[in-house]
Amino acid sequence: MKNYYAIIMAGGIGSRFWPMSTSKHPKQFLDILGSGQTLIQQTYHRMLNFCLNENIYVVTSSEYEDLVAKQLPQLPKQNILSEPARKNTAPCVAYASYKIHQLNPQAITIVAPSDHLIKKEDTFSKAVKSCFQKAEKENCLITLGIKPTRPDTGYGYIQFKDSDTSEKDNRMFKVKTFTEKPDHEMAKFFIESGDFLWNSGIFIWSTKSIIAAIEKHDAELANVFKEGIDVYNTAEERAFVSKAYITCKNISIDYSVMEKATNVYVRSSIIGWSDLGTWGSLYTHIGKDKKNNAIVGKNVINYDSKNCIVHVPKDKLVVIQGLEDYIVVESDNTLMICKKQDEQQIRNFVNDVKVLKGDKFV
Amino acid sequence: MKNYYAIIMAGGIGSRFWPMSTSKHPKQFLDILGSGQTLIQQTYHRMLNFCLNENIYVVTSSEYEDLVAKQLPQLPKQNILSEPARKNTAPCVAYASYKIHQLNPQAITIVAPSDHLIKKEDTFSKAVKSCFQKAEKENCLITLGIKPTRPDTGYGYIQFKDSDTSEKDNRMFKVKTFTEKPDHEMAKFFIESGDFLWNSGIFIWSTKSIIAAIEKHDAELANVFKEGIDVYNTAEERAFVSKAYITCKNISIDYSVMEKATNVYVRSSIIGWSDLGTWGSLYTHIGKDKKNNAIVGKNVINYDSKNCIVHVPKDKLVVIQGLEDYIVVESDNTLMICKKQDEQQIRNFVNDVKVLKGDKFV
């Protein structure tokens, strides 16, 4: 286990979950599900199933360092890696991978978002362990793939090749193509063809393999973070990273590496996954009452409302009557009421609020 | 002016305006209209147009004494009359009338609810002054009547006789009948006939006339409060009233006296009146935006909502999208969303909340 590492990515702002999720207190730091744990706490505890505490790293925006430290008090402080700017996932992966590789050249890492839902923890652990074993033995990049249940146009899709009979794990497939956010027609076609999975954004690889892949497929990015080899895990690391993040481009690991690499595998997993990207996706994952309302809040009284999502603070009394297919969210003295079918507008609300009322509420 | 007195009735709990109006802080103590003044403050200032400050009395529940004192700091403390129990309007009128009559047997009083809206203050003042003059000269009971604009089934209706040519004020009519809350058909008939007015619940009479009327038409009630003649305006008044309110029945002045008396007049008045009995009645009295939303709140952002009433605290950010014909009210950390057409259910909400959550929220 000492070679197994986790890199938890916790720099996002989750604006589609506004007003619960704000740039000051994003989704990963919230108990969106009303479970008693925030999403990052759930993610951290999930990683402890196959990683030692000291091998878990959280990469986050500098402004969330304190939040991470507060929510994960057991995590060693030096394992919180601070990003001075939001540059998407590739710089985050590059930075953490070079740093961990410098500590332990045998390192195998799982890279995972901090704000996803995984309901089947045991199946997830088994899947990750089998990926770790493969990543230990060969130069490969593995992603967890999710069996799609609907032609969602918000996800990335992975086309896989027929199972290689040499694979011990019969749910491990070679990847043929990545397709980011297809249109509805194409998404439907993907689902019907049966050889596509959703890209969960959870990756497993050795630091050796990912570093080699970055150096091969995105030399520009590699050069930025390679330069720090002598300062990672020293007092100069922070200053170096500050400069590196100014220089480096904004790019996802999918575009930077995964779509180009040829040694990519996908592990098909039934882990009760959701990226909890929107209120609608939350709706499908929490308990409903008899009238199909998903209600988080201890003091919500409903009369004749159907198919609603209500997410309000515990101490708040809320009486709703005659609402159908609405999202009602109250957080931090901000209330949002929006039709479920129009939830894509929430991003506009956030922008408008910013313009009209300033940063205070977003 | 020294003989003119006002009795402001401020003991109601306004449960149809929940959650803004609660039994701890009822409607009359709220700035329902967002005007900068609470309804009782508006009522008090209205009375100052024809009464001296020391001649204004407020009758309220003992639990609201402090609220009255706080909201009307100019009002002499001894002019706040405390009712130890809610017994409707007749005991309130009897108590205040005997007490004021004991101070000044020439007293002419206006009796008015504390939680009504009157938009045309000047016309109101003129109407009241003409009633005062009539009440000064003869033994009569006058009520202000409002020209009805719709067949509302929530109001009392007053049928009047053709104008008496001996009346100087050609809007003063002898009353024929009182009808409390007719059904819709009857209300329509009343409106069409043209000889009915709404009963505003605002009365003008001399203490001499009303005391004579109570003694004649409701001897039981009269006997309770007559007994106190020697203690009104003394240190023993409070103890006497406590006992009197235990003894006396719960009855409105309309049932107790007005419907039986024969010396009743109605002054037809166009004073922009509303009893603000419901959110719906408020809707008709506050400004609307282009989409017919009546919004009280400084930080409400609306997308595609129509015909709604939104009433929220100033500091609260509220984003509503796609709502049509709803009432959205937030007050004291309680949120209510209800279809406008179902607002009669609000009383049930209040009862249910009381049962489910206790007195805290109602």
Side-chain angles (χ1 to χ4, degrees), chain A residues 220-317:
Chain A
E220 187 192 331
L221 182 71
N223 287 338
V224 173
F225 287 98
K226 204 176 177 174
E227 245 192 78
I229 281 180
D230 297 334
V231 299
Y232 290 128
N233 309 303
T234 72
E236 284 93 63
E237 175 178 327
R238 207 174 174 106
F240 166 77
V241 171
S242 284
K243 277 188 205 149
Y245 266 78
I246 294 168
T247 319
C248 81
K249 60 189 168 186
N250 185 318
I251 187 169
S252 75
I253 192 71
D254 300 81
Y255 280 117
S256 168
V257 172
M258 303 303 282
E259 294 184 7
K260 300 174 200 156
T262 53
N263 58 339
V264 182
Y265 290 80
V266 60
R267 171 57 157 76
S268 167
S269 317
I270 301 166
I271 54 176
W273 172 87
S274 167
D275 75 339
L276 292 181
T278 63
W279 287 107
S281 66
L282 174 67
Y283 179 74
T284 63
H285 287 282
I286 54 179
K288 258 81 83 186
D289 65 15
K290 280 178 192 161
K291 287 174 177 169
N292 269 315
N293 299 292
I295 295 177
V296 177
K298 297 273 179 216
N299 289 311
V300 179
I301 304 178
N302 173 31
Y303 301 83
D304 311 317
S305 296
K306 286 193 280 193
N307 310 323
C308 288
I309 307 170
V310 181
H311 203 296
V312 297
K314 273 183 205 146
D315 62 332
K316 185 168 192 95
L317 177 64

Side-chain angles (χ1 to χ4, degrees), chain B residues 212-255:
Chain B
I214 297 171
E215 291 179 357
K216 183 170 178 189
H217 301 292
D218 195 341
E220 186 192 332
L221 181 72
N223 288 337
V224 174
F225 287 97
K226 205 176 178 175
E227 243 191 80
I229 281 179
D230 297 333
V231 298
Y232 290 127
N233 309 304
T234 73
E236 283 93 62
E237 176 178 326
R238 207 175 174 105
F240 166 77
V241 171
S242 284
K243 276 188 205 148
Y245 267 78
I246 293 167
T247 319
C248 80
K249 60 188 168 186
N250 184 320
I251 187 168
S252 75
I253 191 70
D254 300 81
Y255 280 116

